[in-house]
Amino acid sequence: MLRTHKIRCYPNATMRRVLEHACDYRRYCYNQALATWNELYDASVVLADKTARPNERQVRNELVNNKADWQYRRSARILQLAVHDLAQAWANFFNPEMPEHRKPRFKSKKRSRCSFKTDRAIIVNGKLRLDKPHGYRDRWYDIRLAEKPRWQGTVKLAAVVKEADGYYVCLSIDVSQPEPLPASQHVCGVDANIGQFVYNDGEAMSAIRGLTEQLVSLYHRVSLYQRRLARKRLANPKHFRSNNYRATKTKLQRTYQKVTRIQSDLLQKFTTMLVKANGTLAIEDLDVKHMKMNKRLAKNLHRSLFGRFKVLMKDKAQWYGRQLMIVDRFYPSTQRCSRCGLVKTGDDKLTLAGNVLHGTKHHEFHCYGCGAQLERDENAVQNLIQYAQGQAMS
C-alpha cells in the first residue's frame, strides 16, 4: 500500500540549478507531448480512422525519437512520466464520473506549478539521491532533507515541488498494512457546517472550528495583498511587474501557504482522532458544487474544505480498517426529528435562516410532532448515527 510523506528539501547551489532545469524540462516535455497528441488526433480525424488515435506509447516514442542533444543531459524519466501524466489527464477528461475535469492545456512558466517527478530516487543516509542523467558531466550531490521518511519501505515515486519558501519532495513509499486497531462498537456521526464540524464525543456533543481566528486573520491579509496587486496592475497595466509587485506577490504566496498548512494540520488531526476513537463513522455526501452557486456562501463553503474532509475520511478509514458510511445527500438529516422520526415538509422546512412561518432561528430545531426542542446540528448528528445503525442492522 502506498503512503506519501512530504518533506522539506535543502539543496545546495548546484542542485538548485539542477532542480530548476528539471522543472523547466518537465514543462517543456508536457507541452511537446500535448502538441504531438493534438496533431496525431487531428490527423486521425482527417483520415476518419479511429485506430490511428494517439495513445501514451505512441506519443512517448515520438518524443524519444526526436530528442535534441541537450535533452540527454536531463533525466529520461521526467519525459516519460510527463507523457504518462498527460495520458492520465486525457483519461480523466473523458471519464463520465469526472465531469468537471477540464481539457488538458499547455503549461505556462509564469502560472503553472514548478514540479517534476521521477521513480528512480532513493534515500541514502537520510538524504535524497536523484537519478543522474548519462549526459550530465558536472558535479552531483545528495539533497539534505528536513527529516527522515515517516515509513520504512521502497520509494516508488518522488515528486519535487517548488513552493513559496523552497523545495519539497513528496515520497510515495510502498509500506505494509498496519496492525488493525482494537475493535470498537461506538458509532460517530459528523455534521459538516460552514466554519465547524459537529460530532458526538461519547455521550456528549462536541464541535471543532474549521475557520479559526488565525485563519480569519490570514484571509484578511490575503484580501489586502490582492487589493494591492490589483491597484498596481490597474495603475500601470503594461509595466506592472516591479520589485514591489514581486515582493507583494511573494507575501501573498506565503500567506496562502500558511493557510494551507493550518487547514491541513487541523483536518489531519481531527480525522485521525475520529477514526481511532470510533468503529463506525457516518458523514454526509454533500453536493458542494451546487451549494457554491450561492454567491453569499461560496467563499466560506470553499474555505470549509468539505471535499478534503471526505477524501481524508475515506483514506484513513481504509488504512485503519474502520467502517465509513457515506449518507445519501438526499437523506433529510436536517429536517428529520431524531426523537420521533417526523420529517418536515413544505412551509415547515428548516432553511439556512430558520423558519419564518414558525419564527425559529437558524440553530433551532422544533419538532411539530412530539414538541422536542433541539439544537439543529446536534439533531442532524443523531440522525446520522441512527442512519448508520439502521444500515448496520439491515
Side-chain angles (χ1 to χ4, degrees):
M1 190 173 184
L2 292 179
R3 307 299 294 176
T4 303
H5 188 190
K6 186 176 181 180
I7 309 175
R8 174 77 182 270
C9 299
Y10 297 97
N12 57 21
T14 301
M15 295 309 295
R16 276 199 299 270
R17 288 194 297 270
V18 170
L19 297 182
E20 290 175 1
H21 293 161
C23 292
D24 294 341
Y25 183 55
R26 197 265 178 186
R27 183 180 63 254
Y28 171 82
C29 292
Y30 187 92
N31 291 340
Q32 289 291 319
L34 181 55
T36 305
W37 195 295
N38 292 337
E39 291 175 1
L40 294 176
Y41 179 81
D42 293 340
S44 67
V45 172
V46 172
L47 297 175
D49 185 8
K50 291 186 177 181
T51 60
R53 295 289 170 84
N55 54 48
E56 179 181 351
R57 177 179 295 181
Q58 187 178 1
V59 173
R60 183 187 62 212
N61 293 340
E62 187 73 19
L63 295 183
V64 171
N65 294 334
N66 297 321
K67 264 189 174 184
D69 292 340
W70 64 269
Q71 290 184 259
Y72 291 97
R73 296 192 294 270
R74 304 289 182 263
S75 174
R77 300 304 301 165
I78 295 178
L79 184 149
Q80 298 180 18
L81 291 175
V83 177
H84 176 75
D85 291 343
L86 175 62
Q88 186 62 45
W90 279 114
N92 294 338
F93 176 68
F94 290 109
N95 188 355
E97 297 182 358
M98 304 176 68
E100 299 303 317
H101 198 285
R102 63 187 181 186
K103 184 179 178 181
R105 301 188 300 177
F106 291 99
K107 294 188 178 297
S108 168
K109 185 175 183 179
K110 297 179 181 179
R111 295 185 299 272
S112 300
R113 194 179 191 186
C114 183
S115 65
F116 70 93
K117 296 179 182 178
T118 178
D119 54 4
R120 292 182 181 173
I122 56 176
I123 302 297
V124 180
N125 297 328
K127 295 183 178 181
L128 177 67
R129 179 174 295 177
L130 299 175
D131 51 316
K132 183 178 179 181
H134 293 291
Y136 189 83
R137 295 292 179 261
D138 295 336
R139 291 182 179 273
W140 196 266
Y141 302 93
D142 294 341
I143 300 175
R144 183 168 62 90
L145 301 178
E147 58 179 320
K148 292 183 178 180
R150 190 174 295 128
W151 297 282
Q152 297 294 328
T154 306
V155 178
K156 293 295 185 180
L157 186 69
V160 179
V161 182
K162 184 180 181 181
E163 295 190 356
D165 60 343
Y167 286 95
Y168 290 81
V169 59
C170 301
L171 300 175
S172 296
I173 305 174
D174 189 8
V175 299
S176 57
Q177 189 75 17
E179 293 293 332
L181 294 174
S184 175
Q185 302 297 326
H186 189 263
V187 181
C188 177
V190 184
D191 182 53
N193 296 282
I194 295 178
Q196 69 173 358
F197 295 93
V198 182
Y199 65 100
N200 62 318
D201 185 9
E203 297 298 331
M205 291 290 174
S206 301
I208 180 172
R209 289 191 61 184
L211 292 175
T212 61
E213 295 181 359
Q214 185 180 8
L215 283 176
V216 173
S217 175
L218 288 174
Y219 280 127
H220 288 320
R221 194 183 304 175
V222 166
S223 301
L224 172 65
Y225 292 147
Q226 287 177 336
R227 287 196 299 269
R228 289 180 179 177
L229 292 176
R231 282 198 296 266
K232 293 178 185 297
R233 290 193 296 266
L234 184 63
N236 194 358
K238 292 186 178 181
H239 305 283
F240 61 86
R241 298 186 184 277
S242 61
N243 291 334
N244 288 336
Y245 183 89
R246 284 192 290 268
T248 306
K249 186 177 180 180
T250 302
K251 293 178 182 179
L252 176 63
Q253 292 174 344
R254 292 195 174 184
T255 306
Y256 269 126
Q257 189 182 53
K258 289 181 181 179
V259 169
T260 303
R261 288 177 175 177
I262 293 173
Q263 290 177 331
S264 178
D265 180 72
L266 187 147
L267 280 182
Q268 291 283 358
K269 292 179 178 178
F270 177 56
T271 52
T272 301
M273 181 270 294
L274 288 176
V275 172
K276 287 186 176 180
N278 303 280
T280 304
L281 300 111
I283 62 175
E284 293 178 297
D285 183 19
L286 297 175
D287 189 6
V288 181
K289 174 188 172 182
H290 290 89
M291 292 171 66
K292 287 183 179 180
M293 290 183 179
N294 187 334
K295 63 180 182 180
R296 298 181 183 275
L297 302 176
K299 185 175 292 186
N300 287 331
L301 283 169
H302 178 74
R303 293 172 177 175
S304 298
L305 299 177
F306 293 157
R308 179 63 176 165
F309 171 73
K310 181 180 175 181
V311 170
L312 288 177
M313 289 296 293
K314 285 184 177 180
D315 177 69
K316 295 188 177 182
Q318 180 184 5
W319 175 252
Y320 290 107
R322 297 302 198 189
Q323 184 181 12
L324 177 66
M325 292 190 177
I326 308 295
V327 180
D328 186 82
R329 64 181 56 177
F330 297 107
Y331 178 73
S333 61
T334 305
Q335 309 299 335
R336 181 180 180 273
C337 177
S338 59
R339 300 280 182 85
C340 65
L342 176 68
V343 179
K344 295 184 178 182
T345 58
D347 295 336
D348 294 336
K349 275 190 173 183
L350 197 61
T351 64
L352 293 176
N355 187 284
V356 180
L357 179 63
H358 298 278
T360 57
K361 298 181 180 179
H362 164 74
H363 64 280
E364 297 176 346
F365 182 90
H366 293 178
C367 179
Y368 310 128
C370 63
Q373 296 185 5
L374 309 169
E375 285 289 330
R376 174 180 181 151
D377 298 335
E378 296 179 2
N379 177 69
V381 170
Q382 291 297 334
N383 284 326
L384 294 177
I385 295 175
Q386 295 175 10
Y387 179 92
Q389 292 173 342
Q391 292 293 323
M393 294 177 60
S394 59

